[in-house]
Amino acid sequence: MDASIENDRAAWLEGSSADGSVKCSVVPPERKNPWRLILLGAPGVGKGTQAELLTERLGACHLSTGDVFRAAGKRRDCDQSPAMKAAMQYMRRGELVPDSTVWEMVRERSGCILHCGGFILDGFPRTLAQAESLKALMEKEKISLSAVVNYELPVDEIVRRLSGRRTCENCKSVFHVTERPSKGKGICDRCGGRLYHREDDRPEAITVRLEAYERSTAPLIQFYKNLGLLMPIVAKGSPDEILARTMEKMDKLAAGAA
Ligand code: AP5
């Protein structure tokens, strides 16, 4: 099943998966040993691109906190909570949204994290406080992480990737003007939606995001290393090459666990 094409991820993007009131168009099948992955790495390293490819391979749900904030930002003004409106301001500047807002949003969607088809978390956790909250939730529910994939890339390549990124406003698929262009100019290959240039991909916001990453998110590398979960992957080359590198390590992990 090509989950990324067919699944609208409504439970994650719209929220309230914890009480089951919003359901996805495709519910991934129950798995005996579901993949539960975190994708770490600087902004623009290619986490979203790899999450889409990994979702197709592994069937687990792609859970991106950035996508939730962007989807919320498109709602009518009167449908946005004060915390969400404030979150939009942080995002536009390239700063991290406060931990309390992020955790409240993830907690409302905890049904997606607990789902028996597994998950690929992209953009969460991003601080030690968020990592501790996730750890506590998973321990309480007696589920464990499979691995934390850390994508590594030099800064100049990261800036190049971010500057040329185009995102589908409908299905959130990610393209690049030269490296991963869409077939129709400005139109998404998957759903025909309009492609746009993210507001936080402006040069001044990119600088702020990279600083926030170094200060708040990079310490998670040691945190997950200490837990024996870290899987470093060189993020150079084409998306398919990086996927192959990731799958090679994951296949070894799965073989070891069997
Ligand atoms: P978020 O949406 O999570 O953004 P990010 O982490 O900054 O990551 P990006 O989406 O920018 O990059 P990516 O690594 O996914 O790269 P992509 O695959 O798109 O968060 C946005 C904001 O929301 C944050 O700044 C913050 O304000 C807020 N936020 C979200 N979560 C939060 C949290 N937990 N706590 C606090 N605040 C939070 O690729 C980039 C480009 O490169 C694309 O154009 C792609 O086509 C291209 N590309 C990808 N792979 C390759 C390749 N191998 N070769 C060439 N080009 C490639």
Side-chain angles (χ1 to χ4, degrees), residues 11 54 72 93 110 133 137 141 159-160 176 186 206 208 217 224 247:
L54 287 166
R93 291 193 295 266
S110 55
S133 298
L137 172 75
E141 299 294 338
V159 173
R160 217 173 56 78
H176 190 279
I206 291 176
V208 176
T217 311
Y224 286 116
M247 287 305 302

Side-chain angles (χ1 to χ4, degrees), residues 195-215:
L195 301 184
Y196 74 105
H197 193 191
R198 268 170 51 175
E199 223 179 320
D200 60 351
D201 283 345
R202 288 170 293 113
E204 57 277 27
I206 291 176
T207 306
V208 176
R209 286 161 69 198
L210 290 172
E211 283 167 4
Y213 167 78
E214 280 305 327
R215 190 174 54 247

Side-chain angles (χ1 to χ4, degrees), residues 41-50 64-67 69-70 87 90-92 94-99 102 105-106 122-127 130 157-158 160-167 174-177 179-180 198 200-201 209 235-240 242:
V45 76
K47 301 181 296 295
T49 303
Q50 290 304 312
S64 153
T65 39
D67 282 349
F69 288 130
R70 281 183 288 278
Y90 285 103
M91 222 176 141
R92 279 185 197 113
E95 292 167 18
L96 293 187
V97 175
D99 286 336
V102 174
M105 191 194 84
V106 171
D122 161 18
F124 177 87
R126 241 181 170 98
T127 65
Q130 293 177 18
E157 175 65 9
I158 285 176
R160 217 173 56 78
R161 287 188 185 178
L162 284 176
S163 316
R165 171 166 52 192
R166 297 294 180 270
T167 308
V174 177
F175 298 86
H176 190 279
V177 285
E179 304 296 330
R180 220 186 172 206
R198 268 170 51 175
D200 60 351
D201 283 345
R209 286 161 69 198
K236 280 188 181 165
S238 71
D240 284 340
I242 300 162

Side-chain angles (χ1 to χ4, degrees), residues 39 46-56 60 62 120 122 151:
L39 305 190
K47 301 181 296 295
T49 303
Q50 290 304 312
E52 280 179 31
L53 298 173
L54 287 166
T55 297
E56 289 172 18
H62 175 194
I120 299 169
D122 161 18
Y151 290 112

Side-chain angles (χ1 to χ4, degrees), residues 27-207:
V27 178
E30 189 171 331
R31 282 165 205 276
K32 197 161 160 247
N33 294 309
W35 284 102
R36 296 192 182 101
L37 299 174
I38 291 175
L39 305 190
L40 271 188
V45 76
K47 301 181 296 295
T49 303
Q50 290 304 312
E52 280 179 31
L53 298 173
L54 287 166
T55 297
E56 289 172 18
R57 285 289 183 96
L58 308 174
C61 297
H62 175 194
L63 309 180
S64 153
T65 39
D67 282 349
V68 175
F69 288 130
R70 281 183 288 278
K74 295 222 167 70
R75 291 200 194 116
R76 289 179 312 169
D77 207 47
C78 56
D79 290 337
Q80 286 181 29
S81 67
M84 211 35 112
K85 280 184 191 163
M88 297 300 116
Q89 297 302 324
Y90 285 103
M91 222 176 141
R92 279 185 197 113
R93 291 193 295 266
E95 292 167 18
L96 293 187
V97 175
D99 286 336
S100 54
T101 308
V102 174
W103 181 243
E104 178 62 22
M105 191 194 84
V106 171
R107 213 178 42 78
E108 275 176 12
R109 290 161 174 77
S110 55
C112 297
I113 290 177
L114 305 180
H115 188 268
C116 45
F119 61 73
I120 299 169
L121 274 170
D122 161 18
F124 177 87
R126 241 181 170 98
T127 65
L128 284 170
Q130 293 177 18
E132 292 288 6
S133 298
L134 177 67
K135 188 165 174 280
L137 172 75
M138 293 184 71
E139 280 171 2
K140 183 167 160 260
E141 299 294 338
K142 298 190 173 36
I143 57 174
S144 51
L145 284 169
S146 314
V148 176
V149 182
N150 184 37
Y151 290 112
E152 301 168 338
L153 195 68
V155 167
D156 55 344
E157 175 65 9
I158 285 176
V159 173
R160 217 173 56 78
R161 287 188 185 178
L162 284 176
S163 316
R165 171 166 52 192
R166 297 294 180 270
T167 308
C168 174
E169 64 181 6
N170 182 35
C171 74
K172 322 291 176 224
S173 290
V174 177
F175 298 86
H176 190 279
V177 285
T178 55
E179 304 296 330
R180 220 186 172 206
S182 61
K183 292 189 189 91
K185 197 162 183 268
I187 303 290
C188 176
D189 290 348
R190 286 171 186 256
C191 73
R194 192 181 69 92
L195 301 184
Y196 74 105
H197 193 191
R198 268 170 51 175
E199 223 179 320
D200 60 351
D201 283 345
R202 288 170 293 113
E204 57 277 27
I206 291 176
T207 306

